Amino acid sequence: MAYFDAASAAPLHPVARQALLASLDEGWADPARLYREGRRARLLLDAAREAMAECVGCRPDELVFTPSGTRAVHSGVAGALTGRRRVGSHLIVSAVEHSSVLHAAEAHEAGGGSVTQVGVDRAGAVDPAAYAAVLREDTALACLQSANHEVGTEQPVSRVAEACRAAGVPLLVDAAQSLGWGRVEGDWSLLTGSAHKWGGPAGVGLLAVRKGVRFAPQGPGDERESGRAPGFENLPAIVAAAASLRAVRAEAAAEAARLRELTERIRSRVPELVPDVEVVGDPSRRLPGIVTFSCLYVDGETLLHELDRAGFSVSSGSSCTSSTLTPSHVLKAMGVLSEGNVRVSLPPGTAAEDVERFLEVLPGTVAAVREKLGAPAATETVRAAGPDLVVDALGRRCPIPVIELAKVIGDVPVGGTVRVLSDDEAARLDIPAWCEMRGQEYLGEEPAERGTAYLVRRTS
C-alpha cells in the first residue's frame, strides 16, 4: 500500500518512535515537582522546548506546548484578540486558511467582532497589497498560513508580515504544513504548528508568542505552560515531537529536492495521461511533496475508493467526499474545478517506483469511474438541434450537472445557450471551471423556482 496523504498526517518518524519509547521510562513524572523523578522530567521538557524553539526560530520562553495544532490556533487567536481588545476587534484572515483558523474567526464574529477575508488568486496565493489594504486602526490581529494544506501553495508571509508590522498589527502564522521543511521567514508575531504533520506523534501542538506581543490567555488560569496551555504535559509525546522535528530538518534539503522531482513528474504527466484534468496550485512556489489535480466528470468519493482498492491512499477536496456536499473552501476561493479532486501528498522516503505505479493506475481508474457515470468522451460531439436548451439537474449531485451540460452543449449552435438547473452548491464552482477548460462562455447565474440556473453560451 502506498501512503500518499502525508499532508493529513505523516507516518511516525523512526526517531520519534525511539524517543517516545525512551521517554516513557524517563519522563513519566510531574516536571513541576522537585524530587528526582520530577527534576528528570523537567530536564527532558526543557530540552524539548529548546530544541523546538531552535527549529521555530524563537526563544524557548516564547514557546508552549498544546494538546494539538488546532488548540494552538484557537488559543493563539483568542489570546491575541483579547490582549489587544483596547485597539479594536477587527480580525483579518485569508480565504484559504485551515478550518481551525476559520472556525476561530467564526467564533470571534459570533461574539461581536468583525472579520475580513482576503481572497487569493487562481494559484491559491494572497496578494500582500490586499492584506495591507484591509489593515485598519481597529485591527487587532491578522492570520496567514505559511503554505496551503490542500494545494501546497506557499504564501508571501515575509511581505505580509512587513505590512502588518508597519501598521502595528501582530501576524499569526499557521505553519503546520511547512514547519518540517524549514523556518518561517519574516517578522511574524505568533506561530502555530502540529507534530503529526512532520512525523511526530499526534496530540502535540506548539504556540510561539514573541516577546512584546500583547497576549491574554483565555479560560481558567493554570500554572502549566506559562498559563497558555492548561493541563499536565504529555511529556513522552513532546520529547518525540521535538526529536522528530530535528531529524526531519536534518534531512529536509535532500528530501525536498527528491520529492519536488516526484511531484513535478505527477504535475506534468497527469494531464498527458488523463484528459480533462486541471492541475491546481502554484507551479513553483509550493511545498515539496504536495500536488493536487481535479478531473472533470468524476465523483471524487468513488475515485478515492477505487484508488484505495488499487493500493493508494490519497485525499480529496471534492464536495462528493464530504458529508456537507459543499466544495472545499480552498478550491472555491481559488475558483478552480472541485469535482474529482485528488490531493497527493508524498511523505519523506516515498519510492519513485510507487509514483510510477500510481501514474500507471490512474488513467484506467479515472476512465472506469467516468464510464460508470455515463460521462461524455473527450472527442464526443452532438449535432446541433436548436438555439438553446435547459438541463434539469435538480436533486443530482456532483459531477452529474457538469456531465449533463457536456452532453448537450453540442446540441445548440455556436452562439446558443444551455441553462443548467441545479441545487448543488458545487455547480457554482464547477460549471464556470468547465467553461474555462472547454473554451465555452459562462454567462452567470440566475434565480430559479428551485435551485439556481447557470447559463452557458456555446462559443466553439
Side-chain angles (χ1 to χ4, degrees), residues 250-273:
E251 306 160 352
E255 194 61 24
R258 201 179 69 83
L259 291 186
R260 284 190 190 280
E261 191 279 327
L262 294 178
T263 53
E264 184 55 36
R265 195 181 304 182
I266 297 173
R267 285 183 63 85
S268 61
R269 289 180 57 187
V270 165
E272 298 173 354
L273 297 170

Side-chain angles (χ1 to χ4, degrees), residues 210-427:
R210 297 280 198 196
K211 293 295 182 183
V213 175
R214 292 187 178 276
F215 191 88
Q218 296 304 285
D222 194 288
E223 68 276 8
R224 305 279 177 174
E225 293 300 297
S226 304
R228 294 175 180 174
F232 197 96
E233 297 93 345
N234 184 353
L235 186 53
I238 288 172
V239 170
S244 59
L245 183 55
R246 293 187 67 176
V248 298
R249 283 287 187 84
E251 306 160 352
E255 194 61 24
R258 201 179 69 83
L259 291 186
R260 284 190 190 280
E261 191 279 327
L262 294 178
T263 53
E264 184 55 36
R265 195 181 304 182
I266 297 173
R267 285 183 63 85
S268 61
R269 289 180 57 187
V270 165
E272 298 173 354
L273 297 170
V274 183
D276 296 321
V277 163
E278 182 177 15
V279 181
V280 301
D282 194 288
S284 55
R285 288 185 53 84
R286 58 185 304 100
L287 291 175
I290 297 179
V291 56
T292 306
F293 55 89
S294 300
C295 308
L296 273 176
Y297 319 133
V298 169
D299 176 337
E301 184 172 3
T302 302
L303 179 58
L304 263 60
H305 283 319
E306 292 302 316
L307 288 172
D308 180 51
R309 291 176 59 186
F312 298 96
S313 301
V314 298
S315 61
S316 173
S318 171
S319 60
C320 309
T321 64
S322 70
S323 59
T324 61
L325 293 176
T326 57
S328 151
H329 71 278
V330 172
L331 301 178
K332 186 175 181 179
M334 293 167 62
V336 298
L337 183 70
S338 74
E339 66 184 49
N341 178 260
V342 175
R343 180 187 67 181
V344 175
S345 49
L346 307 178
T350 297
E353 293 78 8
D354 287 340
V355 171
E356 285 299 321
R357 189 166 63 87
F358 175 77
L359 292 171
E360 291 174 5
V361 167
L362 183 67
T365 304
V366 173
V369 173
R370 284 173 171 167
E371 184 178 2
K372 289 179 182 179
L373 292 171
T379 58
E380 182 178 343
T381 59
V382 184
R383 179 178 55 83
D388 53 295
L389 286 173
V390 175
V391 172
D392 186 351
L394 293 168
R396 308 182 74 183
R397 299 301 178 187
C398 73
I400 300 302
V402 178
I403 289 177
E404 295 303 316
L405 167 62
K407 285 181 176 180
V408 303
I409 191 68
D411 288 349
V412 299
V414 173
T417 61
V418 177
R419 185 185 303 264
V420 183
L421 302 178
S422 176
D423 51 6
D424 182 8
E425 177 66 22

Side-chain angles (χ1 to χ4, degrees), residues 124-203:
V126 302
D127 179 0
Y131 257 79
V134 296
L135 289 167
R136 309 186 321 211
E137 290 186 0
D138 65 335
T139 302
L141 178 67
C143 299
L144 179 64
Q145 59 191 191
S146 56
N148 187 259
H149 49 291
E150 287 193 30
V151 301
T153 298
E154 294 178 332
Q155 299 292 354
V157 173
S158 293
R159 294 172 61 193
V160 171
E162 184 179 347
C164 290
R165 179 67 65 181
V169 174
L171 176 68
L172 183 150
V173 177
D174 171 17
Q177 286 298 336
S178 72
L179 207 52
W181 298 109
R183 289 184 180 181
V184 176
E185 301 299 327
D187 197 9
W188 49 266
S189 300
L190 303 96
L191 183 142
T192 63
S194 188
H196 74 280
K197 300 289 188 179
W198 65 68

